[in-house]
Structure formats: C-alpha cells, structure tokens
Amino acid sequence: DAKTTQPPSMDCAEGRAANLPCNHSTISGNEYVYWYRQIHSQGPQYIIHGLKNNETNEMASLIITEDRKSSTLILPHATLRDTAVYYCIPGSGTYKYIFGTGTRLKVLA
Amino acid sequence: GAGVSQTPSNKVTEKGKYVELRCDPISGHTALYWYRQSLGQGPEFLIYFQGTGAADDSGLPNDRFFAVRPEGSVSTLKIQRTERGDSAVYLCASSLGVWETQYFGPGTRLLVL
C-alpha cells in the first residue's frame, strides 16, 4: 500500500483558496488518490478522487503531478464550514482505505 | 437520497457487557465496510462484506468482535465482553461495488466504562 505524508495542520483565511498537499511517493500506476474530509463528530465525507488527470467537482479541484508522487486538493473559496480534517488516501482499488492522521484545516474568519 | 445510517448514535456500556451496533447502507450498495476510529486517529479498517458474506475480516482485533449481514443489506457489528479499550467511534461505509467510492455513516460512539 502507498504511504502518504500530509502536513498535520494548516490555516486559511475565509474566502481564500485552501491548498492541501499530499505526498504519496510510493503510489503505483493503477492507484487512484481519494480525498475525504471529516468535520468534527461526523463520519468521513467523500470529496473527490483521481488517477492521472486533474479533476474538478462542485466541492473541490484535485491536481495530481505528472509523476503521480504528490497531489494537491484545492478548495477555491474556503468557508468556515470547510474547517475539518482532510485525508488523502491512495487506493489500488483495495477496499481497505488507509486514512493516516490527515491535515487539520482551520478556516479563519 | 438517503445516506448510510447507523444506530445508536451513542452507546454507553459497562465493561464485560455485550453490544450490537447497526448499519443501514445506501440502498443498492452491495459492499459494506466497518471501520473503527480512536480519538485523534484516522479510521482503521475492520471488516468488509460483499453481499452476505464477510470477504475480509482481517481488521477485527480479536474474537470478541463479530459482524453479520444476513440479507445483504443491514449489518450488525457485535462486541462480546467489552473492554475499556473498545471505546471508539465505529464507522460504517457502503459502496456500489467493491471498487467504488465508499460513503460513510455518522458513526456510533461507544464508551465502555
């Protein structure tokens, strides 16, 4: 399984873009990268996933480097409700998500 | 549509007691997963069901833990002779198929006194 490295915490001003990095240097060629977030006292919420190409949905954008060793989740206009722990999860199609400890994002008013 | 639901939302029990935690997956999802999350940690995999059968129970910590999914929909996680170390949030997730995105429920917070 690919190992991931995420900064333990980040702050972002409300209304600004939040850029959350993830290093997954051991990811293999067929492994997707999934991003989830967990708001306090709630279950993990799916955000986005990608394989090689950049992806965008209504919640966020995902930028994956060409070598696929790292990715960045972008919340374009962070709000206070985006305060959460964000997890980057490389998955090989395995059903065993390995969450790690994630990045605690705090959006500041 | 309705998401994954879990009951109860909170459970307080005494050491040595038996508990059951229930998960209702999203309708039509054939795969169901249980995870456990200790304070300050990310969720950890416990068991995965494809249909009615437990395809992988390698994450269950010991034989006090058992899970069933008799009709391929609702699942129950059962813990016998609870210990204080079993205190955690127990999360359930479901997906359309085994290789699909997992959607999580709100969790059951178990406290063993």
Side-chain angles (χ1 to χ4, degrees):
Chain A
D1 294 333
K3 299 293 189 287
T4 60
T5 303
Q6 295 181 257
S9 65
M10 293 180 64
D11 290 342
C12 177
E14 189 177 21
R16 303 297 292 270
N19 297 279
L20 296 118
C22 178
N23 182 296
H24 34 78
S25 58
T26 59
I27 198 170
S28 63
N30 62 347
E31 288 188 327
Y32 283 82
V33 177
Y34 288 83
W35 283 82
Y36 283 75
R37 72 181 182 184
Q38 192 169 25
I39 296 169
H40 183 61
S41 296
Q42 297 182 21
Q45 177 189 22
Y46 167 75
I47 301 172
I48 198 168
H49 72 282
L51 181 62
K52 294 182 181 179
N53 301 318
N54 299 338
E55 302 287 345
T56 295
N57 63 19
E58 64 279 5
M59 290 184 70
S61 294
L62 176 61
I63 307 298
I64 303 173
T65 58
E66 193 170 341
D67 63 8
R68 304 205 332 111
K69 293 184 184 301
S70 65
S71 61
T72 300
L73 180 75
I74 301 172
L75 309 177
H77 305 287
T79 71
L80 298 178
R81 289 175 296 180
D82 293 322
T83 292
V85 178
Y86 287 77
Y87 295 100
C88 161
I89 306 170
S92 60
T94 179
Y95 40 80
K96 296 181 185 179
Y97 281 3
I98 298 174
F99 278 80
T101 52
T103 295
R104 186 171 300 275
L105 175 69
K106 186 174 183 180
V107 180
L108 305 172
Chain B
V4 177
S5 62
Q6 293 186 245
T7 54
S9 53
N10 293 281
K11 176 72 176 177
V12 180
T13 191
E14 294 179 344
K15 180 175 178 296
K17 299 289 188 183
Y18 168 83
V19 297
E20 290 190 349
L21 312 178
R22 176 187 168 108
C23 172
D24 279 88
I26 293 171
S27 177
H29 281 195
T30 62
L32 185 146
Y33 317 80
W34 285 96
Y35 291 79
R36 179 168 74 171
Q37 185 171 24
S38 300
L39 195 62
Q41 303 297 315
E44 294 180 322
F45 171 82
L46 294 177
I47 186 170
Y48 148 65
F49 287 88
Q50 179 58 49
T52 61
D56 184 349
D57 64 358
S58 62
L60 295 178
N62 52 59
D63 61 6
R64 294 187 297 105
F65 288 75
F66 188 73
V68 296
R69 195 186 184 199
E71 298 178 356
S73 178
V74 170
S75 175
T76 304
L77 178 66
K78 308 180 180 195
I79 310 174
Q80 299 177 320
R81 305 183 303 280
T82 51
E83 299 178 357
R84 292 193 180 89
D86 299 335
S87 296
V89 176
Y90 289 83
L91 293 159
C92 176
S94 70
S95 62
L96 204 54
V98 66
W99 310 122
E100 305 291 331
T101 301
Q102 297 179 26
Y103 295 91
F104 285 79
T108 293
R109 284 152 191 79
L110 175 66
L111 177 61
V112 181
L113 300 176

